[in-house]
């Protein structure tokens, strides 16, 4: 009953499963994209972060350079505090970089887009992005449009 | 009328008793598991019998599941101009749900029944009592290795299922329907998370493996030692395993992906 062939097949079986796991890790999931966890965390305050999720990407010039790690409410200033993790190759962002909540396409997922400024100082661990632009609420925009249209006709 | 109520009561008591016996039996098996380290050959033998023998059907059904997913999703998503997201949808369905669940159900039907029938027949032909006569604990010698092998095999098979099905989806959507390769993999990597999706899928399949293995060996060991009893036990294995897998899947999905 028990033979070398049995062992061989069980070996092949286990190896196939390990190969499948490797494929799921590297090719299918974002384990390969996560890269090293090295990097730094910066915060930014927004008036409105509606639609933004934890783990949403942080992009610079459209390229993903980090992700959002937490979204909390500052209960004294009634603003949303977004913490984002930026990968270590991108540690030379100027201090006056601005952050805006943007949308992929018209109805796509929200992400944070960074726009570098011109300062000589760089952002570091724990520093805060001062100039931010909240997410654009389509409903508010349409509401304002109506106000403007009716106001203009008077 | 009284007869009816009495039979109801008897059935209820019987199922409670079976549940209790099943749990005591599980304790016995778990106590037998550590000794498996000393006799790995028994487990390897059984992994060959239940795992390797299921490999063909798992691979073939996974390939076709992936291909059908690719085909259906492509046609449906094209209506919204969203056929780019086919990679992420395929991978998420497979890794989170279809991989673990289908593998467990296939496994229950294929290897679970064979375990039940084997142990049930050993009991019917009094091989198990024979072992007891020779002071060999049949739970340690016969049941524990089979339980361990089944428990180990299900997660491994589920991993292979997911990987093969994703390749099947790739074959259809990229090979046949002309989606771009980088779109398929890129979307997948953007939306499938290692910790949240892949690891949770693996946890699911480990739980399913445990349940399927437990039900299969218990039904065999508890079978009425006649040919009819063994056949009934085999049916019960399939029914109970499939239902528990589906119910547990719902519970685990709502716990893992609920937020």
């Amino acid at each position: 009953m028990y033979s070398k062939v049995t062992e061989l097949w069980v070996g092949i079986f286990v190896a196939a499963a390990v190969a499948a796991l490797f494929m799921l890790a590297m090719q299918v999931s974002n384990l390969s994209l996560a890269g090293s966890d090295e990097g730094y965390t910066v915060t930014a305050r927004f008036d409105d972060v509606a639609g933004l999720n934890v783990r949403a990407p942080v992009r610079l010039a459209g390229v993903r350079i980090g992700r959002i790690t937490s979204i909390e409410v500052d209960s004294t200033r009634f603003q949303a505090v977004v913490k984002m993790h930026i990968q270590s190759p991108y540690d030379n962002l100027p201090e006056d970089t601005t952050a805006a909540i943007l949308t992929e396409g018209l109805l796509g997922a929200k992400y944070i887009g960074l726009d570098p400024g011109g300062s000589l100082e760089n952002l570091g661990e724990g520093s805060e992005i001062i100039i931010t632009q909240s997410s654009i609420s389509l409903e508010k925009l349409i509401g304002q449009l109506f106000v403007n249209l009716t106001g203009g006709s008077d | 009328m009284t007869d009816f109520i009495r039979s109801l009561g008897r059935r209820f008591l019987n199922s409670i008793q079976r549940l209790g016996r099943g749990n005591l039996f599980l304790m016995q098996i778990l106590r037998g598991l550590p000794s498996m380290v000393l006799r790995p050959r028994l487990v390897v033998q059984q992994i060959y019998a239940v795992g390797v023998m299921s490999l063909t059907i798992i691979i073939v059904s996974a390939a076709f599941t992936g291909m059908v997913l690719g085909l259906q999703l492509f046609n449906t998503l094209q209506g919204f101009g969203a056929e780019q997201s086919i990679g992420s949808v395929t991978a998420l369905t497979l890794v989170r749900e279809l991989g673990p669940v289908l593998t467990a159900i296939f496994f229950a039907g294929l290897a679970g029944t064979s375990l039940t029938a084997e142990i049930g027949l050993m009991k019917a032909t009094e091989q198990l009592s024979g072992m007891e006569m020779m002071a060999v604990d049949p739970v340690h010698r016969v049941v524990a290795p089979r339980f361990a092998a089944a428990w180990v095999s299900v997660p491994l098979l589920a991993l292979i299922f997911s990987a093969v099905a994703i390749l099947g989806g790739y074959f259809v959507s990229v090979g046949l329907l002309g989606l771009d390769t980088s779109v398929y993999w890129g979307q997948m990597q953007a939306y499938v998370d290692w910790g949240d999706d892949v690891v949770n899928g693996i946890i699911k399949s480990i739980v399913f493996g445990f349940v399927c293995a437990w039900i299969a060996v218990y039904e065999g060991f508890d079978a009425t030692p006649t040919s009819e009893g063994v056949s009934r036990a085999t049916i019960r294995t399939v029914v109970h395993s499939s239902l528990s897998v589906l119910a547990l899947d719902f519970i685990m999905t709502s716990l893992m992906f609920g937020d």
Side-chain angles (χ1 to χ4, degrees):
Chain A
M1 277 279 272
Y2 191 85
S3 66
K4 290 225 155 53
V5 181
T6 314
E7 277 179 346
L8 181 70
W9 273 107
V10 172
I12 291 173
F13 174 48
V14 175
V18 171
L21 181 70
F22 187 74
M23 181 192 144
L24 289 179
M26 290 306 161
Q27 184 78 323
V28 174
S29 75
N30 49 12
L31 197 64
S32 54
L33 287 183
S36 59
D37 250 2
E38 284 175 31
Y40 57 101
T41 306
V42 297
T43 57
R45 290 166 187 277
F46 293 93
D47 292 329
D48 186 1
V49 291
L52 195 66
N53 293 319
V54 174
R55 287 197 6 236
V58 176
R59 294 178 198 270
L60 175 70
V63 181
R64 183 190 178 115
I65 61 163
R67 64 194 163 81
I68 294 175
T69 51
S70 80
I71 300 175
E72 279 153 20
V73 171
D74 175 355
S75 52
T76 51
R77 288 167 65 174
F78 301 113
Q79 279 181 320
V81 182
V82 175
K83 284 204 174 81
M84 52 195 120
H85 181 86
I86 294 174
Q87 285 161 17
S88 50
Y90 312 100
D91 51 6
N92 54 351
L93 295 174
E95 203 180 32
D96 55 350
T97 295
T98 61
I101 299 178
L102 303 172
T103 310
E104 289 172 0
L106 195 58
L107 299 167
K110 299 251 162 104
Y111 66 96
I112 289 192
L114 297 182
D115 206 2
S119 170
L120 293 176
E121 300 285 313
N122 289 339
L123 285 173
E125 173 68 38
S127 50
E128 185 178 343
I129 295 176
I130 307 294
I131 308 167
T132 62
Q133 185 196 322
S134 295
S135 61
I136 297 165
S137 155
L138 215 54
E139 294 89 334
K140 275 186 192 170
L141 213 63
I142 293 171
Q144 267 176 355
L145 184 70
F146 274 116
V147 170
N148 286 351
L149 284 179
T150 49
S153 67
D154 276 341
Chain B
M1 190 63 196
T2 358
D3 278 356
F4 172 71
I5 294 178
R6 244 180 59 199
S7 80
L8 199 70
R10 197 173 55 231
R11 274 167 179 238
F12 182 70
L13 287 177
N14 271 344
S15 34
I16 297 277
Q17 250 180 7
R18 273 179 60 81
L19 202 65
R21 277 209 303 275
N23 277 307
L24 288 178
F25 185 62
L26 180 66
M27 291 300 137
Q28 248 179 313
I29 300 174
L30 292 181
R31 271 203 299 277
L33 281 186
S35 65
M36 287 302 102
V37 182
L38 301 174
R39 285 180 290 187
R41 287 194 153 205
L42 288 177
V43 183
V44 170
Q45 176 89 54
Q46 291 306 321
I47 291 181
Y48 181 76
V50 295
V52 177
M53 287 305 172
S54 320
L55 213 50
T56 325
I57 190 163
I58 289 291
I59 290 177
V60 172
S61 51
F64 280 104
T65 309
M67 279 152 69
V68 168
L69 266 181
L71 209 59
Q72 288 284 4
L73 285 173
F74 191 87
N75 288 334
T76 318
L77 290 174
Q78 208 172 26
F80 308 103
E83 67 267 22
Q84 289 91 348
S85 52
I86 191 166
S88 51
V89 180
T90 314
L92 282 179
T93 1
L94 282 167
V95 170
R96 284 180 172 186
E97 298 290 342
L98 288 185
V101 172
L102 285 184
T103 307
I105 290 177
F106 281 137
F107 187 84
L110 206 79
T113 48
S114 87
L115 286 180
T116 308
E118 197 184 1
I119 297 176
L121 262 171
M122 279 184 174
K123 191 183 179 190
T125 53
E126 297 187 334
Q127 292 181 46
L128 296 184
S129 353
M131 279 184 183
E132 269 172 27
M133 293 292 226
M134 295 188 286
V136 175
D137 188 345
V139 173
H140 287 199
R141 179 65 178 74
V142 172
V143 177
R146 285 171 173 73
F147 177 84
W151 190 10
V152 169
S153 295
V154 172
L156 298 183
L157 288 171
L159 283 172
I160 295 173
F161 188 99
S162 298
V164 171
I166 286 170
L167 289 176
Y170 174 82
F171 172 70
V172 166
S173 50
V174 177
L176 299 183
L177 299 170
L179 193 80
D180 192 62
T181 311
S182 60
V183 170
Y184 187 81
W185 296 116
Q187 280 283 323
M188 207 179 272
Q189 288 176 355
Y191 286 97
V192 180
D193 189 71
W194 164 254
D196 275 5
D197 299 321
V198 180
V199 171
N200 275 346
I202 295 173
I203 293 174
K204 269 187 180 179
S205 62
I206 291 173
V207 174
F208 295 160
F210 183 83
V211 171
C212 285
W214 177 23
I215 291 177
V217 292
Y218 175 62
E219 292 293 356
F221 202 77
D222 198 50
T224 321
T226 57
S227 39
E228 199 200 348
V230 174
S231 105
R232 288 202 170 280
T234 316
I235 296 173
R236 275 204 303 268
T237 299
V238 178
V239 174
H240 290 183
S241 308
S242 310
L243 292 181
S244 342
V245 163
L246 292 173
L248 279 173
D249 180 53
F250 175 73
I251 295 171
M252 281 196 283
T253 300
S254 51
L255 285 180
M256 288 168 172
F257 308 111
D259 52 38

